[in-house]
Amino acid sequence: MTLVGTSARRADGEDKVRGAARYGMDYLEHGTLVAKVLRSTVPAARITGLDCSKAASMPGVRAVATAADAPGLSGLMIVKDQSLFATDVIRYVGEPLAAVAADTAEQAEAALAAIDVSLEPLEPVLDLEQSLAEGSRLIHPDWESYETAMPGTRGGNLAWESRVERGDVDAAFDRAHLVVEDEFRTQRQHQSPIEPHVAVARYEQGRYVVHTPTQFPFNVRGRIAELLGIRISDVRVIVPPIGGGFGGKLDVMVEPFACILTRKTGRPVRILNSRSEELATCGPRENAIVRLRTAVAADGTLLAQDGEVIADNGANSSGETVLVANVAPLVLGGTYRIPNARYASKVVYTNTPPTAAFRGVNGPYCVYAQEQHLDRIARELGMDRRTLRMNNLIRAGESMVNGQQLDDAFLTQAMDKVDEIRPWQDAHTERKPFRGVAVVPLTWITNPLPAAASIKLEEDGTATVTCAGAEIGTGAVTTGVLQIVAEQLGLRLEDVRVSPTDTDTGGYDGGAQGSRTTYGMGNAALDAATKVRDQVLDVAATMLEAGSDDLEIADGTVRVTGVPDQHVAVASVVATAMFDSGPIGASGKFATPPIPFDSGCMAGAAVTSFAAPLYQAHMAEVEVDPETGRVTVLRYVVAQDVGRAINPQMIEGQIQGGVLQGIGYALFENLRLGDNGEVIDDDLESYRLPTAADAPPIDAAILENPCSYGPLGAKGAAEPPIIPVAAVIGCAVSDAIGTTMKELPLTPFSVLQAMTEDQD
């Protein structure tokens, strides 16, 4: 029975379609209180007074919490600079000052309004370049006191810097035929899942039990413990079905407030963000500046590149922006042969809401800058843009900028597949005025974090998988991983179930992020399933009086190979084992094997290499309205390496969704900040998201290029489709109007402005 490689039906699909699934927003407990948070309305100020006495005595109010209740500092793995509540200083609009638990939402809101806050205003630092300028006010004057997980360059308003340097960059520039220099600026983008952040917490038997729809339960558990100054094991996180995340639910957000207030009141506490709170406070993709300077030979060979990426951390390091700083150099130097390279990736504090993970982290804006830059180089040389790329692509056996050898590089194959679907020459021949075309290749990473899983066989011969992998909506846990287990155990897919995600029952898992669930959890589950299979065969061999090597498992039956009449049901094997060798079950685990790289070329790098690298190419054809500047994507083509396609239909769905999210980033999504660093877009009327009406025809080709250490050869699949979208659309727009677009998003106004400036 073959399940892997088939488009098996989603195991959780029917409940979701029928509305029977109970999401985090649906979860309530008897006697639950409502929590609300008082947030700052100014970006920078010294707190001179915070009087909560009136609020605490109001009708229905059960507890008020402030900084005194959360003494710890936290941060996502690298820099511990975040307090739960502002203590002495406010650093951004939206920073928590106090939290209230009351019987009703109205009573909680009234209590917030009664809290008296006295402030001494400070000059806000809102701009990246202003923040780095000499003499700029320090947002964290005590930055040296913060705990860090590793050595790194930091200081003043520079939260972190990663550097990569290989070869003799200056000498390569001296002998260049052409030197091209560009600067690109990109915006913030919000994840905007349908379900906002929500948590229900209760305190029992000396522990906090938190129900929250998080992508990374072990991270949330650890961050709660840090902020509250307690042991990690004093927190239990249970994950209900998740209504979307896209990276926005990796980090702790509302959960600690519920924990503090449940401890104070002795009753369950629920906190639910409004859409306005989501947009204003919940970690969007960072805005950034990318500067590139490239040395090129007369034939288009890339000789050297000098690059600087400046990313907005916001007011603290609560999100992934510092953690993934070194991804930017690896992206810039991971697709093309650049023998001499020098990259600096700087993460900068500003008095703005903190930024965090969004699908693809810093990849989309780095790829946008690199590809627009390459198109300009091609125009300067009078060279075909696809030819320039093909001539400089990393081939199998060649190395990235970090010295990592890509033995399975598949970039030329991806480019060729796109050309097979939509020939480059035809796209140019059929061009009309104000139409443009572009093609972009990319090397990307599969998140390498570890995973664990356990499998037990039930008395009826079915299997239960227990893990802490979060099902974010991709189907990776509820279907893809189960396909791997079912095939290994010779069971039907419907005979394998997965237990609810719970940090008490499941082993450590690195979260639903970076396309790692099928890769990491799939490997752990495969390890456990292999052990369970061996146990079944050992017991069945005695029952059938045959060697275990002569047995096979299929359709819930163990049989002697080639002798179909000699068989025994898996349920009978389980029953026999129960009182003989004991219940059948096993635990599995996985950690990404060490990947060789040149450690001497990097500094401040938390991400040092690309695990299970995957390769893709995207092509876009666009039309620009010369009167309005409106961009229409006419056709889109993707060829994506996935290692091995466990469930092709689910992968195609991820490609379609990723491309559409990328179109939003490219053309109109922009989480704007006002003059005080506040988020202007406080609802989904002003913050426009892409809809089905924005989706062009998308041709998706799945390429199988197995990873030697992926489960059955599988790599990541869900994250990569968003990354090159803005780049390929932007390059196509530049092709249509004849000028390089240096900012995102490509709004009608910005396109018209570029066309006008080019004419001038």
Side-chain angles (χ1 to χ4, degrees):
M1 176 171 52
T2 299
L3 282 171
V4 170
T6 67
S7 295
R9 186 180 182 186
R10 287 278 297 267
D12 59 344
E14 185 168 332
D15 279 354
K16 290 182 175 180
V17 169
R18 294 183 179 276
R22 293 190 65 204
Y23 291 91
M25 286 184 67
D26 301 319
Y27 183 79
L28 285 173
E29 295 186 9
H30 180 70
T32 298
L33 299 173
V34 177
K36 295 288 182 180
V37 178
L38 178 67
R39 297 182 179 275
S40 169
T41 58
V42 299
R46 197 173 309 281
I47 301 172
T48 58
L50 183 68
D51 185 355
C52 300
S53 57
K54 183 177 179 181
S57 63
M58 293 182 69
V61 174
R62 305 298 176 180
V64 178
T66 62
D69 300 297
L73 287 176
S74 185
L76 190 56
M77 299 187 186
I78 304 299
V79 180
K80 308 298 183 182
D81 59 7
Q82 176 206 7
S83 58
L84 183 60
F85 297 99
T87 51
D88 300 323
V89 175
I90 289 170
R91 294 187 171 91
Y92 67 96
V93 173
E95 185 167 14
L97 302 178
V100 170
D103 293 340
T104 68
E106 292 77 15
Q107 291 170 332
E109 293 282 5
L112 294 184
I115 296 174
D116 185 20
V117 183
S118 300
L119 303 174
E120 178 186 305
L122 297 171
E123 183 67 26
V125 179
L126 305 175
D127 178 78
L128 289 172
E129 291 164 311
Q130 173 198 1
S131 181
L132 290 175
E134 186 176 350
S136 185
R137 186 181 65 82
L138 295 186
I139 294 171
H140 288 269
D142 48 355
W143 63 268
E144 290 182 279
S145 68
Y146 296 147
E147 177 187 348
T148 59
M150 59 183 289
T153 300
R154 47 192 289 268
N157 286 332
L158 179 66
W160 196 263
E161 181 175 350
S162 295
R163 299 188 68 89
V164 176
E165 185 166 357
R166 287 181 67 82
D168 192 334
V169 176
D170 295 330
F173 272 97
D174 288 342
R175 67 175 186 271
H177 168 75
L178 173 70
V179 174
V180 176
E181 188 168 357
D182 283 309
E183 179 181 285
F184 302 89
R185 293 175 181 256
T186 61
Q187 78 283 28
R188 294 188 175 199
Q189 182 189 22
H190 196 268
Q191 301 87 349
S192 295
I194 293 175
E195 178 190 45
H197 285 81
V198 59
V200 175
R202 67 179 183 272
Y203 188 74
E204 61 182 25
Q205 298 178 356
R207 301 179 73 209
Y208 298 91
V209 181
V210 187
H211 292 255
T212 181
T214 174
Q215 296 176 234
F216 195 172
F218 279 94
N219 178 49
V220 168
R221 183 181 74 156
R223 297 288 301 285
I224 291 171
E226 276 189 336
L227 288 166
L228 271 59
I230 59 177
R231 300 181 304 174
I232 288 176
S233 59
D234 289 338
V235 183
R236 176 186 181 188
V237 175
I238 300 170
V239 182
I242 304 170
F246 311 114
K249 291 179 181 172
L250 287 170
D251 306 324
V252 72
M253 290 289 175
V254 297
E255 297 86 357
F257 303 117
C259 288
I260 292 172
L261 292 168
T262 191
R263 177 71 185 272
K264 280 177 161 281
T265 62
R267 289 172 58 179
V269 173
R270 179 177 187 256
I271 182 168
L272 169 67
N273 267 354
S274 66
R275 183 59 60 181
S276 176
E277 288 172 316
E278 280 290 295
L279 289 162
T281 66
C282 290
R285 188 192 310 281
E286 66 276 13
N287 51 298
I289 302 169
V290 183
R291 296 173 178 138
L292 297 174
R293 180 171 169 262
T294 302
V296 190
D299 64 356
T301 300
L302 302 179
L303 301 176
Q305 188 167 78
D306 198 348
E308 181 183 45
V309 179
I310 305 175
D312 196 340
N313 200 42
N316 61 50
S317 306
S318 56
E320 281 195 355
T321 313
V322 164
L323 176 66
V324 300
N326 202 57
V327 171
L330 299 186
V331 171
L332 291 169
T335 299
Y336 302 102
R337 288 188 305 275
I338 307 176
N340 306 284
R342 180 168 55 218
Y343 297 120
S345 178
K346 301 175 181 179
V347 181
V348 178
Y349 289 122
T350 59
N351 285 124
T352 63
T355 58
F358 190 141
R359 190 179 193 172
V361 291
N362 48 29
Y365 58 78
C366 289
V367 176
Y368 178 81
Q370 183 74 289
E371 298 299 328
Q372 285 276 18
H373 186 62
L374 288 176
D375 270 9
R376 185 179 163 210
I377 289 171
R379 285 193 288 271
E380 295 273 351
L381 292 171
M383 188 174 183
D384 177 76
R385 292 172 293 137
R386 184 180 187 275
T387 301
L388 175 72
R389 287 170 169 79
M390 294 297 290
N391 290 350
N392 286 284
L393 282 180
I394 291 175
R395 263 70 173 179
E398 296 178 340
S399 297
M400 295 170 51
V401 69
N402 63 343
Q404 176 185 346
Q405 186 170 303
L406 300 179
D407 293 324
D408 66 342
F410 216 64
L411 291 163
T412 57
Q413 293 89 335
M415 290 285 279
D416 288 344
K417 187 63 179 180
V418 167
D419 201 54
E420 177 186 320
I421 296 170
R422 178 56 169 153
W424 178 255
Q425 192 59 46
D426 290 355
H428 277 272
T429 302
E430 298 166 9
R431 280 183 58 177
K432 298 178 181 179
F434 297 103
R435 288 195 176 186
V437 62
V439 64
V440 166
L442 176 67
T443 303
W444 190 245
I445 185 176
T446 303
N447 186 297
L449 291 180
S454 297
I455 300 172
K456 66 172 181 174
L457 290 186
E458 308 290 355
E459 293 90 329
D460 59 3
T462 61
T464 298
V465 179
T466 301
C467 67
E471 175 51 72
I472 194 61
T474 64
V477 174
T478 58
T479 306
V481 169
L482 299 192
Q483 284 180 259
I484 294 172
V485 172
E487 180 157 314
Q488 188 70 9
L489 298 181
L491 300 175
R492 300 178 305 167
L493 183 60
E494 55 265 38
D495 290 335
V496 184
R497 296 180 177 85
V498 62
S499 297
T501 301
D502 186 333
T503 56
D504 266 14
T505 59
Y508 183 88
D509 181 71
Q513 57 172 321
S515 299
R516 64 160 299 281
T517 303
T518 299
Y519 165 76
M521 185 56 64
N523 263 317
L526 179 61
D527 183 33
T530 301
K531 295 172 182 176
V532 169
R533 180 185 175 87
D534 289 344
Q535 293 175 41
V536 170
L537 293 177
D538 285 345
V539 175
T542 302
M543 297 172 69
L544 293 170
E545 298 182 345
S548 58
D549 292 342
D550 297 325
L551 302 180
E552 60 184 11
I553 312 175
D555 302 321
T557 300
V558 185
R559 58 195 181 206
V560 178
T561 304
V563 188
D565 291 339
Q566 197 171 346
H567 63 271
V568 62
V570 171
S572 297
V573 176
V574 174
T576 299
M578 189 71 71
F579 298 100
D580 185 1
S581 55
I584 293 179
S587 294
K589 59 185 179 180
F590 174 72
T592 297
I595 298 170
F597 64 92
D598 179 7
S599 61
C601 73
M602 288 183 285
V607 180
T608 56
S609 56
F610 274 11
L614 48 90
Y615 312 93
Q616 59 180 323
H618 287 217
M619 181 181 186
E621 295 177 68
V622 306
E623 183 174 48
V624 177
D625 186 326
E627 301 296 326
T628 67
R630 184 174 185 268
V631 176
T632 301
V633 183
L634 303 173
R635 185 174 181 182
Y636 205 95
V637 181
V638 178
Q640 181 173 320
D641 161 33
V642 301
R644 184 175 180 190
I646 303 297
N647 189 307
Q649 187 178 64
M650 292 199 309
I651 293 171
E652 289 173 12
Q654 291 303 310
I655 291 174
Q656 298 272 345
V659 169
L660 192 56
Q661 275 189 321
I663 287 173
Y665 183 60
L667 299 183
F668 41 79
E669 287 191 60
N670 182 5
L671 192 68
R672 298 170 297 167
L673 300 178
D675 293 340
N676 280 322
E678 78 281 11
V679 171
I680 296 173
D681 302 292
D682 62 356
D683 58 36
L684 296 183
E685 287 188 43
S686 62
Y687 186 80
R688 192 196 155 192
L689 294 170
T691 68
D694 299 298
I698 301 172
D699 294 307
I702 295 173
L703 308 179
E704 293 196 313
N705 174 35
C707 172
S708 61
Y709 48 88
L712 307 178
K715 305 177 182 179
E719 184 175 47
I722 191 177
I723 297 166
V725 180
V728 73
I729 290 175
C731 288
V733 170
S734 294
D735 181 43
I737 66 175
T739 188
T740 302
M741 297 296 298
K742 295 191 175 183
E743 293 191 9
L744 287 175
L746 306 171
T747 62
F749 178 80
S750 65
V751 173
L752 274 179
Q753 184 178 32
M755 293 169 70
T756 303
E757 290 174 352
D758 187 56
Q759 290 171 359
D760 294 342

